[in-house]
Amino acid sequence: MPRGDLGSILLAGGLALCAGAAVAQQRPATPLRAGAGDAASADVRADEIERRMRPEERTVLTHGLWAIPLIPKIRIPSDAVLGAGYIAGIPRLGVPALRETDASLGVSYIANLRNDGATAMPSATAMGSTWNLDLIRRGGALIASEARAKGFNVLLGGGINLMRDPRNGRTFEYFGEDPLHSGLLGGAAIEGTQSQHVMSTVKHFALNAQETGRHAVDGRIADDAFRMSDLLAFELAIERGQPGSVMCAYNRVNGAPACGSDYLLNRVLKADWRYSGFVMSDWGAVDAVEFALAGLDQQSGAQIDKQIFFAKPLADAAARDPAYATRLADMNRRILRSIYAVGLDAYPPVKAPIDFAVNGAVARAVADQSIVLLRNRGGLLPLSKDVRSIVVIGGYADAGVLSGGGSTQVQPEGGPSVSLPMGGEGLLAKYNNQTYHGTAPLAAIRALAPKAKVTFVDGRYPAEAAAQAKAADVAIVFATQWMAEGSDVPDLSLPGGQDTLIAAVAAANPKSIVVLETGGPVLMPWLDRTGAVLEAWYGGVRGGDAIAATLFGDVNPSGRLPVTFPAAVDQLPRPALPYAGMIDREFAAGLAAGKSYPIDYDIEGADVGYRWFARKSLTPLFPFGFGLSYTRFDHGPVRIAGGAQPRASVTVRNAGARAGSEVVQLYLVSTPAGATRRLAGFAKLAVEPGATATATIPIEPRVVAQSRDGRWTMPAGRYGFALGRSATDLGPTVTITLPARQWR
């Protein structure tokens, strides 16, 4: 969903349609996982209902409106639920309306127009830090159950774009930088959502890597590199989760708007991957009726486009042109097929009370496993509950934990504890506040250390904070970085002088702990002077409890970084954010004048994140996969079995005194073509003190192979794998001979 004024949403742009639209008419061979019956029956029903449609019904499902009463002269149907979108049903044929809500972190509050609350889950980056597919699946089911209880049957979740730039304002909505990691976690979230008979999307397809100029920028990347990175994440998520819909992106890809890209929608998604669901646009992303021939099936939030192209213009085109008539039939079949496969007709949503205590426990479990211990000098953590005095500094730690802004903003029952207006222009700007919610870390710390004198300092004055820190046994600084849809952060520093604050506190007390509540990576010029650092991300409704429990050892940190933390912005493929400082009106004027705004993603190609650092021999501040524990794990030798589905196995022993969980990471380090660095598989194991457990890790063949002209190619030869505690801390290489293989 967009943030900003309508003028910025209604951007003009050229349409670059490619030949080959007929590819979209192929019957899909890979079925969606059916929610109410088998896949074949969903296909049969969709074909039957499509044939029975009257002419006036054929464009009912192909467009929808933004179901919020903030736009003049827009009538919201009485059966709609205020939220992200509404697509009318066809009662005569028993086809239900689609009632859509944002998003993947909980049911969005949409400017509090419904005056209700929802369970705020930790950010997607936090979820990515868990490396726990089962837990993410439970989270997806939780969000979907609350959506159903509010009357929705479509969840606009499933954000899995790769983090190509840590300054991207939507970094917190995505799982990380690696295609295997993001694809598997994204697939698990979608599975959980659709287990509740709520349709999920997967988004934003594709290359949505920054918010600056998001309606205008044109990502340029070679096909093979694209398929081995961002597209692989989508391919895996779609295979695993079988989402009912794919949401295309605002940006352009290799010259064409993503929602009007024959290459993305027809060739890759529907022909090569044989995707059987439908493609919906992002809100305000459609420029012409020709987008239908390029593979777009549904125009979302159509009243904020220049025209409702997929209503009368589409019907008129179908009446005069057989290509459009064939395409329109396919569009309807795809939408109907997803409705039946997920069971929206058989299991309609019923408004009901929500058990926030039960759901809060799931949010807490995710928060517990998401916190990453980055530094622990001298075993400062966990803290003793007998500590005498603690000063808690900054970050609104007396009120709650930070959350990200934009269409994923969730408000818990009772509303936020702090809501700070961030200014700006446009329709929803006054509602897109910097919000803190959930349990306050200060209260949770006091509850776990009842004997301690715990004081709070807001951190506005570093000298005051340093004086309080010097007088306390332990100082805990909460530092925040707010990110939001619609804008990028200008750099990776902590805003508001927080770096200066932390440096002053650390100089005053060597037992200083920094708790980071950030959307993504940040720089840490004060790192060597601190005692301990926790990355807590945006922790959700129970984030404060999770932070306190980790500080005092009730929870042993098991989070591992899903993104690389650079040591400086000049280590990034693009040290300067492309088109930084430009505003939407400038981009719109440029597009109208025929100007383009390319971004060269061929610089790094498929080598996103840690792969770029390995290629350039750069040392990051903290590598992908990194995370410390309060216990120690010993790894046995890696054993790899070949065959059609190679697998690795390794024994893990907890050699410490505390129960904990280890993330076993397997990396491909060499191929017949030479050295490389790619995550090939992973598993998370909970191990008791002194006990051992065995991880069995399937090796994803597409990670081992290379993309060549739309096919995967794996030459015969020796392949090397290594177990890693991170992408840079690898064990001995184990080699295996694999046969040649080629497939699509």
Side-chain angles (χ1 to χ4, degrees):
M1 287 290 294
R3 179 174 73 94
D5 60 8
L6 288 178
S8 70
I9 294 169
L10 305 178
L11 289 171
L15 177 66
L17 282 175
C18 303
V23 171
Q25 318 312 328
Q26 285 187 199
R27 267 330 265 174
T30 303
L32 285 167
R33 185 174 294 111
D38 62 63
S41 69
D43 282 324
V44 171
R45 291 187 65 197
D47 288 346
E48 176 192 356
I49 297 300
E50 186 276 323
R51 286 194 299 269
R52 292 172 56 194
M53 281 181 165
R54 296 169 178 168
E56 68 272 14
E57 294 170 335
R58 290 191 167 273
T59 57
V60 171
L61 299 178
T62 57
H63 65 91
L65 57 83
W66 197 8
I68 60 172
L70 296 177
I71 299 177
K73 300 180 182 179
I74 295 298
R75 186 183 67 83
I76 307 299
S78 60
D79 66 326
V81 182
L82 297 182
Y86 172 84
I87 293 89
I90 307 175
R92 184 184 71 85
L93 299 175
V95 178
L98 302 182
R99 300 174 178 90
E100 302 168 330
T101 180
D102 292 306
S104 51
L105 309 182
V107 180
S108 174
Y109 80 131
I110 299 290
N112 209 27
L113 294 170
R114 293 190 309 272
N115 194 29
D116 62 2
T119 298
M121 294 293 289
S123 65
T125 314
M127 295 182 194
S129 295
T130 71
W131 297 62
N132 186 327
L133 302 185
D134 289 337
L135 189 56
I136 302 310
R137 193 174 292 110
R138 287 174 60 198
L142 177 157
I143 298 168
S145 71
E146 294 196 359
R148 278 180 57 84
K150 295 175 185 294
F152 296 107
N153 57 8
V154 179
L155 184 68
L156 306 177
I160 61 159
N161 290 88
L162 297 189
M163 195 276 288
R164 283 183 175 266
D165 195 306
R167 294 161 295 197
N168 179 8
R170 301 188 86 165
T171 292
F172 73 95
E173 295 186 39
Y174 303 134
F175 290 109
E177 68 189 23
D178 178 80
L180 177 67
H181 171 270
S182 292
L184 296 184
L185 289 171
I190 294 164
E191 266 190 311
T193 296
Q194 296 194 161
S195 73
Q196 303 300 302
H197 306 292
V198 172
M199 189 188 300
S200 178
T201 69
V202 62
K203 64 181 186 184
H204 303 89
F205 191 65
L207 216 58
N208 176 214
Q210 69 176 56
E211 290 295 278
T212 301
R214 64 178 180 169
H215 291 268
V217 295
D218 181 7
R220 306 288 178 87
I221 189 169
D223 175 70
D224 291 336
F226 202 8
R227 289 178 186 264
M228 294 171 64
S229 53
D230 305 70
L231 291 182
L232 180 56
F234 278 96
E235 186 177 9
L236 290 167
I238 289 169
E239 285 179 359
R240 298 300 180 104
Q242 298 294 311
S245 180
V246 171
M247 183 192 294
C248 49
Y250 288 127
N251 53 278
R252 288 159 167 73
V253 176
N254 291 329
C259 288
S261 170
D262 178 83
Y263 161 76
L264 278 178
L265 307 185
N266 283 333
R267 177 181 161 192
V268 174
L269 180 66
K270 294 180 178 180
D272 293 350
W273 299 350
R274 300 187 177 185
Y275 175 63
S276 53
F278 69 97
V279 181
M280 68 167 68
S281 72
D282 206 337
W283 275 235
V286 181
D287 289 338
V289 69
E290 288 86 357
F291 278 34
L293 292 183
L296 184 65
D297 300 302
Q298 190 178 78
Q299 182 182 9
S300 306
Q303 80 272 32
I304 59 176
D305 282 314
K306 291 179 293 186
Q307 187 178 351
I308 304 179
F309 296 105
F310 282 19
K312 188 177 185 300
L314 180 59
D316 291 345
R320 66 175 181 267
D321 187 336
Y324 274 99
T326 301
R327 180 79 261 273
L328 181 56
D330 181 59
M331 293 161 72
N332 278 300
R333 283 196 301 268
R334 287 177 175 274
I335 297 167
L336 290 165
R337 202 264 181 215
S338 292
I339 288 172
Y340 301 138
V342 182
L344 303 194
D345 61 324
Y347 301 92
V350 177
K351 292 189 178 183
I354 295 170
D355 192 330
F356 288 110
V358 170
N359 290 354
V362 177
R364 167 68 191 276
V366 175
D368 282 345
Q369 293 198 32
S370 72
I371 293 174
V372 185
L373 179 60
L374 296 176
R375 178 175 171 83
N376 195 18
R377 186 177 62 190
L380 175 58
L381 294 178
L383 295 173
S384 168
K385 293 180 181 179
D386 294 324
V387 63
R388 293 176 301 172
S389 61
I390 303 171
V391 59
V392 175
I393 301 166
Y396 291 93
D398 60 331
V401 295
L402 183 60
S403 64
S407 58
T408 58
Q409 180 68 68
V410 181
Q411 299 291 19
E413 193 76 350
S417 50
V418 174
S419 186
L420 306 174
M422 298 306 292
E425 301 177 349
L427 193 63
L428 292 178
K430 66 178 179 178
Y431 299 105
N432 196 27
N433 294 352
Q434 182 174 318
T435 296
Y436 295 77
H437 58 214
T439 52
L442 178 65
I445 289 168
R446 284 175 170 157
L448 291 182
K451 299 177 183 178
K453 176 187 176 184
V454 182
T455 57
F456 177 74
V457 179
D458 62 24
R460 288 183 297 165
Y461 297 99
E464 177 192 28
Q468 292 282 354
K470 188 172 184 179
D473 291 338
V474 175
I476 307 174
V477 184
F478 284 77
T480 62
Q481 174 215 43
W482 185 65
M483 283 184 159
E485 179 183 355
S487 60
D488 299 313
V489 294
D491 57 43
L492 297 181
S493 65
L494 290 169
Q498 293 177 97
D499 287 322
T500 300
L501 170 67
I502 295 170
V505 171
N509 188 335
K511 293 184 178 180
S512 293
I513 302 160
V514 179
V515 178
L516 295 168
E517 297 176 31
T518 69
V522 292
L523 303 178
M524 304 180 201
W526 35 261
L527 178 64
D528 290 340
R529 286 167 278 176
T530 58
V533 179
L534 288 177
E535 175 57 80
W537 314 106
Y538 302 153
V541 72
R542 296 289 302 278
D545 291 332
I547 291 168
T550 303
L551 288 170
F552 287 97
D554 288 1
V555 169
N556 190 345
S558 63
R560 302 293 184 265
L561 291 180
V563 293
T564 301
F565 278 47
V569 292
D570 61 10
Q571 292 183 328
L572 300 175
R574 285 159 295 281
L577 184 75
Y579 311 108
M582 288 184 63
I583 61 174
D584 287 345
R585 285 191 294 274
E586 293 174 314
F587 285 110
L591 290 175
K595 187 174 181 180
S596 64
Y597 298 94
I599 300 178
D600 184 6
Y601 291 119
D602 279 326
I603 293 172
E604 71 273 31
D607 293 331
V608 180
Y610 69 91
R611 298 187 191 185
W612 167 259
F613 278 73
R615 188 170 111 190
K616 293 294 184 178
S617 300
L618 298 170
T619 302
L621 185 65
F622 290 107
F624 173 87
F626 179 82
L628 303 175
S629 173
Y630 295 153
T631 190
R632 189 180 83 252
F633 296 101
D634 293 335
H635 298 162
V638 180
R639 294 177 174 84
I640 300 179
Q645 175 58 70
R647 292 178 177 270
S649 62
V650 61
T651 299
V652 176
R653 178 175 178 269
N654 185 338
R658 291 176 179 267
S661 294
E662 172 72 315
V663 176
V664 183
Q665 305 165 45
L666 184 74
Y667 291 87
L668 176 70
V669 295
S670 66
T671 72
T676 188
R677 190 74 51 88
R678 306 179 207 166
L679 182 70
F682 62 89
K684 191 166 192 175
L685 296 175
V687 191
E688 293 296 317
T692 60
T694 299
T696 301
I697 305 172
I699 297 172
E700 170 53 52
R702 282 162 292 195
V703 171
V704 181
Q706 297 282 327
S707 175
R708 292 286 183 269
D709 300 321
R711 299 185 65 83
W712 293 100
T713 300
M714 191 171 73
R718 302 284 287 173
Y719 291 80
F721 298 88
L723 206 64
R725 298 183 188 272
S726 73
T728 63
D729 184 5
L730 303 179
T733 298
V734 176
T735 58
I736 183 173
T737 299
L738 295 175
R741 187 179 171 195
Q742 188 177 78
W743 72 99
R744 168 157 285 170

